[in-house]
Structures are given as structure tokens and as C-alpha cells.
Amino acid sequence: MRITGGSARGVPLVVPRSRGVRPTSDRVRGALFQLLGAAIADARVLDLYAGSGALGIEALSRGAAFVDFVEADSRLCSAVARNLKAADFTERGRVYHARVERSLEFLNGPYQLLLLDPPYALSDTEQTISRLAVSDLIDNEATMAVEHSS
């Protein structure tokens, strides 16, 4: 798995093998960021359910100003940190080892771009989106991308 575009294009990403890890494919990431276009430039980004950090790091590579990554699995938090270092983005990203629901209590917005790639079996994604919608975490003109099962 590699960064598909921008300044870190081609940088390989570490993805720990785990039953619960389902990284967004290079092809889907490329298509997503093609659609997002100008919404990425200089944006503060929130990558929830970060996994390997591929989505947030792709945003940094394509011009985002800063990304906060939230991940509950400590092994995956370590992978995000390694991937930030490999792409030379350690100064533009922060990794939080926390459950997404709890992180909404301590994160500081506003974010212009929100990336959510929750586990498909997770049943409270709609509640999380509803909480975000009424919070001070998102900018009035924010864009949110949510990955889900077909």
C-alpha cells in the first residue's frame, strides 16, 4: 500500500495484519481525493477510525495543513506514527489513542475535512455523525467522507 498522489506519492505505508483492519485500497483513495479536490488545500483534517492513517496521510500529501488521527488500537496508533515519519509529516499530524466517541469530548476544531472509515460491523456510526453535526468540531463549510460497506 502506497500514497497515491501529492508530495509523498509512492511512499509505502505500514499496515499491521489484523482481522479488524481493512485499509482503503489505493484505487478508492485515489478516487476519493480526486473528488475532494480543493477541499483538501490547507484544511485541518480529522481522521476518525484512522487505522493505518492512510486517508489522513494522503490528505497531507495532497496539501492539507494538519491532521488529527484518532484510533482505539494501540498497534495501529504506532503504525500511524511510523507512516507519518516515513512520509515526513510528523510535524503536521497528531495521533490520539482513544475511542472515537471519547475523542469528541477533547478534540479542538474546527475541522474543514472529516474522514471516517469505521469498522463495517460498528453500529453507532450514525450517532457519531450526529454528534459531530451539532458539535463545535466542524467548520460550517466542512466536507465529510464516510466509508461504509456496500
Side-chain angles (χ1 to χ4, degrees):
M1 197 162 133
R2 298 180 180 280
I3 299 299
T4 63
S7 64
R9 183 181 182 153
V11 171
L13 299 173
V14 173
V15 182
R17 293 201 184 275
S18 173
R19 213 177 85 190
V21 177
R22 176 197 33 78
T24 304
S25 72
D26 293 356
R27 187 175 187 183
V28 171
R29 267 186 295 113
L32 170 64
F33 284 95
Q34 201 67 17
L35 287 170
L36 290 172
I40 302 165
D42 298 319
R44 283 196 69 227
V45 179
L46 179 57
D47 186 350
L48 297 176
Y49 313 98
S52 66
L55 289 174
I57 294 170
E58 189 80 42
L60 289 169
S61 181
R62 293 173 183 252
F66 194 86
V67 178
D68 282 329
F69 298 86
V70 178
E71 175 54 54
D73 184 321
S74 61
R75 286 183 333 139
L76 293 172
C77 287
S78 295
V80 174
R82 286 193 309 265
N83 289 333
L84 282 168
K85 185 174 182 179
D88 200 25
F89 292 139
T90 54
E91 299 297 316
R92 293 174 48 206
R94 185 178 312 119
V95 183
Y96 293 98
H97 177 213
R99 294 184 50 80
V100 166
E101 301 76 25
R102 185 176 171 286
S103 74
L104 300 183
E105 298 168 8
F106 64 77
L107 289 168
N108 293 310
Y111 296 98
Q112 290 79 42
L113 178 60
L114 293 91
L115 304 168
L116 289 78
D117 187 8
Y120 288 165
L122 190 65
S123 61
D124 65 354
T125 304
E126 288 181 23
Q127 290 172 325
T128 300
I129 293 170
S130 294
R131 283 187 62 198
L132 282 166
V134 297
S135 75
D136 293 333
L137 291 176
I138 61 174
D139 189 79
N140 289 336
E141 301 295 319
T143 300
M144 183 184 298
V146 182
E147 190 169 340
H148 57 85
S149 67
S150 58

